[in-house]
Amino acid sequence: MNIESADVIRLIEQFLKEHSLHTTLEALQTETGVFLNTVDDDAAFKADIVKGNWDAVLASVEQARVPQAKRIDLYEQIIIELVELQDINPARALLRQTEPMDIMRTAEPDRYLHLERLVSRTSFDARHAYRGNADKDARRLAIADQLLNEVSTAPASRLLTLLGHSIKWQQQHGQLSEDVPYDLFFGRSQTIRPPEDKAPHKLLATIKFPKKQCPHSIAFSADGAYLATGSADGFIELWNFMSGKLDTGLRYQADGAMMVMDDAVGCLAFSHNGELVCSGAMNGKIKVWNVKSGSGAKRFSAAHSQSVSCVAFSKDDTQVLSGGADSVVRIHGLKSGKMLKEFRGHSAPVTGAVYSDDMTRVLSTSEDGSVRVWDANTTACVCSAIPDADKHGLAIPPAHTIVAIPGNSNEFVVATKSPTIYIVSLDGGVRRAITADKTTCNEFLAVAVTPRGKHVLAVSDMSILHYVDIETGSIQTANSKVPLEDVIGMACHPTLNITAFFSNDRRVPVWTA
């Protein structure tokens, strides 16, 4: 079904009319050449004419496109009736100061002079006024029939009604949540930052994959509108995390024209402006996609010689930072489509890479257990550290995650295959080491940072969710276990106390506080 632009303009014109924005309405009609030409109730409109409620009639006619001949007939009738009521001054004003009467004076001077003589008389004679052409009631009926042919009837508040129906339909199909305010203009849920971080502890929704398929990566968009998943069969899908359903508000997803790579998608990241999503595949390829259209924006076919393990956008969304199983960290330019920088030094697969807030440094983690800080300009390794190296001796646990802390430009969260979480500074030093109790954790499998940057959420090998206070180091555990075994990864919503988890299971449970 095609929607005509003129129909959209009429919806806006009706809204303007109903809200008494008459100057704006007139300007829009003049500029577009599209006229509303509607009345709220044709029976009421006709009744106003028959009863001589001329103020209401003129208010309707002035906003419609009525042929001048019929407009002249209307004004002539009103002038005659004003004379009959001896309201001479309003009659003279209509006769001498309105456009229809100016046209009559030029086109039909005899008819105009008749009205001039009429407003100058001291008495009223209906036969003289109407020149024997019917009486007042008959003239009113004739004018009503003429004007009704020029206007149509439309239900009130059509624009708001249609928008309401659209929102209701999206809520019924799981594309919108009734619990979250919706920004109608931008077409997304309003960003609401909770007053404080809270640990998620109850199930909100579950995303389910087809048999023999499972997620390999997840990420929330920076604006909080979508939860993206990358699957073993190469598909990148955007979900309504409130309902657990595919977001069919995106036309390409509704049509089944999905974003897809030619190998399993091992990592995902959204741009800061929410317009792009980057995917890294097990075959070493990286692709950047347009979120709204689903089309490919940029492809890096040889980003890494082995699988891509992590991707991240630069703060200005002009570069993509990546790490791979080839032990290399690289920066790729979105404009040039080429690799810009390469950072070598890790002796095992890279597991995480992030920019510093000012983009002067790159930090990375690796299965070699080290955290490296690189100069983003020269690619030189500024420092390299292994958290608690003395404690572990030769049995250094691999580092599997590094996460920036919102609102803290100098510290990062690092997790290793151990029961300890580290708060690491830009110089590579460990500011704080927080260790979980052995009864709840042998090693942490996945970590994420809460929206306000005050806490770390971490899932242990026992599927127990830990809630870690970054400042004090205190740890709380959730009463319920995450309903997955061997959690691979997790992601926190950027503004809400909502967290999603995934493993080799076909489900992605989404928890809320």
Side-chain angles (χ1 to χ4, degrees):
M1 180 181 69
N2 294 323
I3 298 176
E4 298 293 335
S5 59
D7 292 336
V8 177
I9 293 172
R10 288 189 183 94
L11 288 172
I12 298 171
E13 288 175 345
Q14 185 193 49
F15 179 86
L16 295 173
K17 176 184 176 183
E18 291 175 344
H19 289 77
S20 300
L21 300 172
H22 301 304
T23 302
T24 307
L25 171 59
E26 183 178 353
L28 180 60
Q29 291 186 143
T30 302
E31 185 170 348
T32 62
V34 178
F35 289 81
L36 187 57
N37 278 29
T38 63
V39 293
D40 296 336
D41 186 329
D42 53 1
F45 180 61
K46 181 174 182 178
D48 283 334
I49 298 174
V50 171
K51 294 177 182 178
N53 296 330
W54 300 120
D55 287 343
V57 173
L58 286 176
S60 297
V61 170
E62 286 302 313
Q63 304 301 330
R65 191 174 191 180
V66 176
Q68 285 294 355
K70 296 181 180 181
R71 196 182 293 264
I72 287 172
D73 289 344
L74 172 64
Y75 275 69
E76 181 183 41
Q77 181 63 26
I78 295 173
I79 292 170
I80 292 173
E81 293 193 22
L82 287 172
V83 172
E84 181 181 3
L85 295 171
Q86 292 299 297
D87 287 337
I88 303 303
N89 288 334
R92 285 175 176 163
L94 280 178
L95 179 62
R96 298 170 182 174
Q97 299 174 20
T98 58
E99 182 184 11
M101 294 297 98
D102 284 341
I103 294 173
M104 177 194 280
R105 180 170 52 197
T106 302
E108 300 179 77
D110 291 341
R111 187 177 177 186
Y112 181 84
L113 286 174
H114 172 72
L115 293 178
E116 277 285 7
R117 296 188 189 101
L118 198 63
V119 298
S120 301
R121 294 172 65 95
T122 57
S123 61
F124 180 80
D125 183 343
R127 288 179 299 176
H128 173 73
Y130 292 111
R131 297 181 175 183
N133 297 324
D135 58 10
K136 178 170 64 178
D137 293 336
R139 286 285 297 273
R140 285 179 176 180
L141 281 172
I143 291 172
D145 291 339
Q146 290 177 357
L147 294 181
L148 283 172
N149 290 330
E150 302 298 331
V151 297
S152 57
T153 304
S157 303
R158 286 295 296 150
L159 179 61
L160 298 181
T161 299
L162 289 172
L163 291 173
H165 288 166
S166 173
I167 291 173
K168 187 175 182 179
W169 185 91
Q170 291 181 71
Q171 289 174 339
Q172 291 174 342
H173 287 76
Q175 297 176 19
L176 292 178
S177 171
E178 296 183 14
D179 301 326
V180 178
Y182 184 69
D183 189 320
L184 188 62
F185 181 74
F186 287 104
R188 63 193 181 203
S189 298
Q190 292 183 12
T191 299
I192 300 177
R193 189 173 294 274
E196 59 181 347
D197 285 340
K198 292 183 178 180
H201 62 276
K202 57 186 178 182
L203 185 66
L204 174 65
T206 301
I207 295 170
K208 297 180 180 179
F209 281 74
K211 291 182 179 180
K212 299 183 180 181
Q213 293 302 329
C214 63
H216 276 205
S217 53
I218 61 174
F220 279 101
S221 59
D223 60 5
Y226 307 108
L227 174 61
T229 60
S231 64
D233 55 358
F235 283 90
I236 300 104
E237 296 167 296
L238 304 184
W239 303 83
N240 180 326
F241 55 87
M242 291 289 186
S243 66
K245 296 181 179 180
L246 192 69
D247 194 329
T248 54
L250 297 166
R251 183 63 179 271
Y252 59 93
Q253 293 199 149
D255 294 342
M258 313 303 291
M259 297 180 288
V260 62
M261 301 191 75
D262 49 14
D263 204 345
V265 180
C267 52
L268 290 168
F270 281 89
S271 60
H272 294 82
N273 61 17
E275 296 178 359
L276 304 172
V277 61
C278 180
S279 56
M282 303 300 285
N283 58 8
K285 296 180 181 180
I286 290 175
K287 192 166 183 180
V288 180
W289 310 82
N290 185 293
V291 171
K292 292 300 182 184
S293 67
S295 60
K298 194 67 66 176
R299 179 193 298 271
F300 303 94
S301 297
H304 290 272
S305 59
Q306 298 180 47
S307 62
V308 184
S309 54
C310 56
V311 288
F313 280 89
S314 60
K315 191 174 183 179
D316 59 4
D317 293 332
T318 62
Q319 301 171 356
V320 169
L321 177 68
S322 67
D326 55 6
S327 308
V328 180
V329 178
R330 291 190 170 105
I331 294 177
H332 313 270
L334 288 184
K335 185 175 181 180
S336 66
K338 299 179 180 179
M339 183 191 72
L340 304 179
K341 301 286 176 64
E342 184 177 74
F343 307 85
R344 291 184 175 271
H346 284 296
S347 59
V350 174
T351 55
V354 295
Y355 280 100
S356 64
D357 191 58
D358 60 5
M359 290 178 57
T360 62
R361 294 286 187 267
V362 169
L363 291 84
S364 59
T365 53
S366 167
E367 289 185 8
D368 62 16
S370 70
V371 180
R372 288 180 177 260
V373 182
W374 313 84
D375 186 305
N377 185 39
T378 66
T379 72
C381 181
V382 177
C383 63
S384 176
I386 297 176
D388 282 348
D390 296 339
K391 174 181 174 182
H392 297 295
L394 295 177
I396 298 172
H400 58 74
T401 306
I402 183 167
V403 186
I405 301 175
N408 187 337
S409 60
N410 297 313
E411 295 181 335
F412 302 81
V413 174
V414 172
T416 65
K417 287 190 176 181
S418 74
T420 303
I421 291 171
Y422 301 94
I423 309 302
V424 178
S425 64
L426 262 178
D427 59 11
V430 175
R431 296 281 180 88
R432 187 173 295 105
I434 305 168
T435 303
D437 190 275
K438 291 182 179 180
T439 60
T440 61
C441 176
N442 293 314
E443 66 178 68
F444 284 116
L445 303 180
V447 300
V449 179
T450 53
R452 300 182 71 86
K454 303 298 182 182
H455 298 83
V456 176
L457 294 174
V459 181
S460 72
D461 56 337
M462 301 178 189
S463 298
I464 296 174
L465 180 64
H466 294 67
Y467 189 60
V468 183
D469 189 303
I470 292 176
E471 185 63 31
T472 67
S474 65
I475 300 178
Q476 300 176 25
T477 56
N479 293 328
S480 301
K481 288 187 176 183
V482 176
L484 297 173
E485 292 184 2
D486 300 324
V487 171
I488 296 174
M490 59 191 293
C492 283
H493 191 277
T495 59
L496 303 174
N497 289 312
I498 292 174
T499 304
F501 312 87
F502 75 97
S503 69
N504 287 324
D505 193 288
R506 294 192 299 115
R507 297 167 298 142
V508 177
V510 182
W511 278 17
T512 185

